Amino acid sequence: MDETSDKAPWDEIAWNGIAFQKPSCWEIATIGRNYLMLGTRRDPKMEITWGSTSKSASHHRRLKLLQSDIRRKHGLSVDVWNPPESWLTALPGHKVSGFSWLNESGKAIIVSCPTCNRASVFQFYQRRDENPGNFHTIVSRLLSTFRDHSENCRLKWAVFDIRALLPAAFQIKSYQFNPGYMAMDFTTHGHIIGLYRWSPASVLLAGRNLSDFAGSLPFYPVSTSETLKDAERMAWASPPTFSPLAQIAAFLSAKFLHHRFLIRHDSGTNRILAVRSESRHLMDNNIFDQIVAGYETKAI
Amino acid sequence: MKQKQFSRSDALCCIPVRNSQVLENRLDSGEILLSYPETLRPWFSSLILRMNKKAELRRMRKLQLDILGTGVWDLIDGKSTITEIIASFAKLHLLYHKEAEISVVQFLRELGRRGIVGMKQLNG
C-alpha cells in the first residue's frame, strides 16, 4: 500500500525529546543520541538531527553553518529553497528555513523552536520517480505531528516496538538495540532507571520459568526481598536503609541504597519486559509504578 | 558492458539453497546437527598430497544449530526468498520485522561462509 493512502498505517516515533508520526513502512535504519535515519526496505526517506542551541545563535546563522557543513562533508552544492506553504503551515510555532541539494532530490529544513530553544534539521529524500504531490503530502502530515518539547513534564519514548513514558528529568545515559535484546538506561540526580526487553519469550523460557530466567540476569539482586506475584510477573525490592552510617558507606562506595526491579512476561507479544530502579535516596514508589505501567511493547 | 549493481533489495530477493552434501541430524532436543564438508586451503592440500598422495582433501565439520537456527534451517526449502523466510520467521516468533531481518541475514551469511547454503537469484 502506498504511504500516502488514507488507509496506510502510520505510527509514532519518540526519541530523546522529539516525537512525530511517520508512515509505518518507514523504519529506523540508524539511531543516535540526537539523530535518526528512517527508510523503507528499498530507500532512505529522511534524517533528523536535533540539539539545544545557545540563544545567541540566530536561526539564520544556524542555517548558514549547516549549509557549509553539507558542502564541506559531501562536496555538494547547496541552494536556498523555499519550502511549500503546506510545510510551513504544518509548523506554526516554529521558525523554518529550507535548502536543497542533490539536484533538488534532497530537501532540508531547519526548524527552530522559540519555546524550548531547540533546533532540528529534517532532511527528506525524494525518489526521482516519486510523485511530488505524494511527497509533499507525506512530509506535511509528518511535520504537523512534530513535537520537540513535552507539555506535561513527561517524556514519551517510542522506538522499534518499545513504548515508555518517563518523567522528563530522566536523561538517556546508554542504549542498545540488538536482535533479541534491547536496553535503555536513564539517569537523573542519583537515580537510575533501566528498561529491558527480550524476545522471543517462547524460546527464552523454553524448559524454564520466569524466575529461572531472571536469576540468570547480571543485575539479579542477591540479598533483597523477593515477591513472587504470579508466574508471569516478579518483583524485588530492597528495604531502604537510610541510617547516617549506611548513607556514608553508600556515598564512599558509590552504592545505591534503594533498589526495585520488576520483570514480566507478556505472552501476547511474546516478549519479556523488565524495569530496574536504583537510587541513592528514598525513591518515590509512585514514579516507579507509573513507569512500569507505561512501559509496554507494541503488538506486531 | 557495465554490470548491474547488486542492491540490498536484490540480495533479499535471492533464494537460499542447501548444499546437497550437507547431512542433517535432528536431535532429541529438536535442534539440528549439521555435518558439512570443508575444503582445505590450496597450500595446505598440496602439503598433504606431498606427504600422502591418497589423502582425503575434504573433511567433515559439524555445526549444531540452536532452536532459532533450526527454525530458519527448516524454512530453507529452495523456493522461498530471503524476504519470505524473514516474514515467516517474524510471524512464527512474533518478532519485530527489523529484528527478524538482522537475525536471519546474519545466520544465512554465516551458513554461506561455511558453504552450507548457496544463493540463487530469482531470475537467474
Side-chain angles (χ1 to χ4, degrees):
Chain A
M1 191 184 290
D2 186 78
E3 58 249 53
T4 51
S5 153
D6 288 341
K7 287 175 188 167
W10 280 53
D11 57 22
E12 187 176 33
I13 190 161
W15 177 249
N16 207 9
I18 59 121
F20 56 90
Q21 299 272 333
K22 56 153 188 80
S24 297
C25 60
W26 293 16
E27 295 178 330
I28 297 172
T30 311
I31 188 164
R33 199 172 288 263
N34 289 316
Y35 173 79
L36 288 168
M37 183 178 188
L38 309 180
T40 62
R41 287 169 200 172
R42 277 189 56 195
D43 308 296
K45 286 293 179 185
M46 67 167 282
E47 288 177 79
I48 177 170
T49 316
W50 65 99
S52 295
T53 52
S54 67
K55 283 181 183 168
S56 56
S58 70
H59 179 80
H60 181 72
R61 180 158 167 69
R62 280 180 212 142
L63 182 65
K64 287 283 170 202
L65 283 172
L66 193 72
Q67 287 174 336
S68 65
D69 195 41
I70 288 180
R71 263 190 225 110
R72 197 181 60 244
K73 273 189 189 161
H74 307 289
L76 299 168
S77 70
V78 180
D79 305 308
V80 174
W81 169 76
N82 291 324
E85 195 56 35
S86 60
W87 291 31
L88 301 174
T89 50
L91 294 159
H94 295 79
K95 246 182 165 179
V96 182
S97 306
F99 59 89
S100 69
W101 75 100
L102 290 174
N103 295 329
E104 298 206 342
S105 64
K107 301 273 194 291
I109 52 169
I110 178 164
V111 177
S112 304
C113 177
T115 312
C116 62
N117 209 35
R118 178 173 273 166
S120 309
V121 181
F122 287 86
Q123 290 166 261
F124 295 100
Y125 298 94
Q126 186 179 5
R127 269 200 336 258
R128 285 183 201 286
D129 58 344
E130 191 170 3
N131 179 338
N134 285 356
F135 174 74
H136 290 302
T137 306
I138 293 171
V139 173
S140 307
R141 182 172 166 189
L142 185 150
L143 293 175
S144 69
T145 62
F146 177 65
R147 300 286 174 271
D148 53 9
H149 54 268
S150 85
E151 305 285 347
N152 55 2
C153 298
R154 300 184 75 77
L155 214 52
K156 202 182 258 188
W157 296 80
V159 282
F160 302 104
D161 57 346
I162 293 176
R163 301 290 176 266
L165 198 61
L166 270 83
F170 282 94
Q171 302 285 312
I172 191 140
K173 188 182 165 210
S174 61
Y175 55 90
Q176 54 174 307
F177 301 106
N178 296 321
Y181 175 66
M182 297 184 183
M184 296 191 280
D185 279 325
F186 303 87
T187 181
T188 187
H189 311 291
H191 192 172
I192 289 177
I193 292 285
L195 303 179
Y196 308 90
R197 168 261 196 221
W198 294 266
S199 75
S202 55
V203 173
L204 294 164
L205 297 178
R208 58 180 178 169
N209 56 29
L210 190 64
S211 172
D212 298 333
F213 175 79
S216 68
L217 299 175
F219 40 81
Y220 179 77
V222 182
S223 59
T224 54
S225 63
E226 183 180 314
T227 323
L228 181 63
K229 288 183 178 169
D230 55 58
E232 304 282 52
R233 192 180 171 94
M234 297 180 72
W236 292 268
S238 65
T241 48
F242 289 99
S243 65
L245 268 178
Q247 288 200 30
I248 292 167
F251 176 77
L252 292 175
S253 58
K255 277 187 181 167
F256 293 96
L257 291 168
H258 194 183
H259 300 250
R260 282 194 70 180
F261 183 73
L262 186 137
I263 187 164
R264 67 188 168 94
H265 172 212
D266 186 342
S267 51
T269 58
N270 203 22
R271 307 275 191 270
I272 299 169
L273 300 176
V275 180
R276 179 176 63 106
S277 174
E278 292 179 344
S279 177
R280 292 193 202 289
H281 323 285
L282 182 66
M283 73 175 88
D284 183 349
N285 282 331
N286 281 337
I287 292 179
F288 183 80
D289 294 339
Q290 282 171 7
I291 292 170
V292 167
Y295 181 42
E296 56 185 16
T297 55
K298 194 179 74 168
I300 304 297
Chain B
M1 203 171 90
K2 197 180 171 187
Q3 204 176 2
K4 187 183 169 260
Q5 218 176 3
F6 202 64
S7 68
R8 181 174 165 272
S9 50
D10 291 335
L12 290 175
C13 288
C14 285
I15 298 170
V17 183
R18 295 179 185 180
N19 180 343
S20 57
Q21 293 178 327
V22 173
L23 303 173
E24 175 187 319
N25 181 15
R26 208 167 280 267
L27 307 173
D28 293 340
S29 60
E31 296 170 344
I32 285 178
L33 180 68
L34 299 176
S35 304
Y36 62 97
E38 187 191 54
T39 310
L40 300 174
R41 292 181 184 278
W43 66 269
F44 194 56
S45 316
S46 62
L47 187 74
I48 287 181
L49 279 175
R50 274 186 205 178
M51 291 192 290
N52 179 5
K53 289 194 175 170
K54 288 180 184 169
E56 180 66 56
L57 293 181
R58 282 187 162 199
R59 59 177 176 164
M60 292 303 276
R61 297 206 68 165
K62 289 190 171 157
L63 177 70
Q64 184 169 344
L65 306 181
D66 64 7
I67 204 77
L68 292 172
T70 300
V72 178
W73 178 256
D74 288 337
L75 292 169
I76 302 173
D77 56 6
K79 292 175 197 156
S80 309
T81 62
I82 298 179
T83 306
E84 287 164 348
I85 290 174
I86 292 166
S88 306
F89 184 68
K91 196 175 167 190
L92 190 66
H93 295 291
L94 295 176
L95 291 176
Y96 189 73
H97 182 272
K98 196 84 184 168
E99 196 170 25
E101 183 184 308
I102 294 170
S103 312
V104 170
V105 168
Q106 213 167 314
F107 177 70
L108 290 176
R109 190 180 291 149
E110 184 56 32
L111 293 187
R113 197 181 63 78
R114 291 169 188 255
I116 296 171
V117 294
M119 293 295 156
K120 188 168 81 177
Q121 267 183 281
L122 201 56
N123 51 3

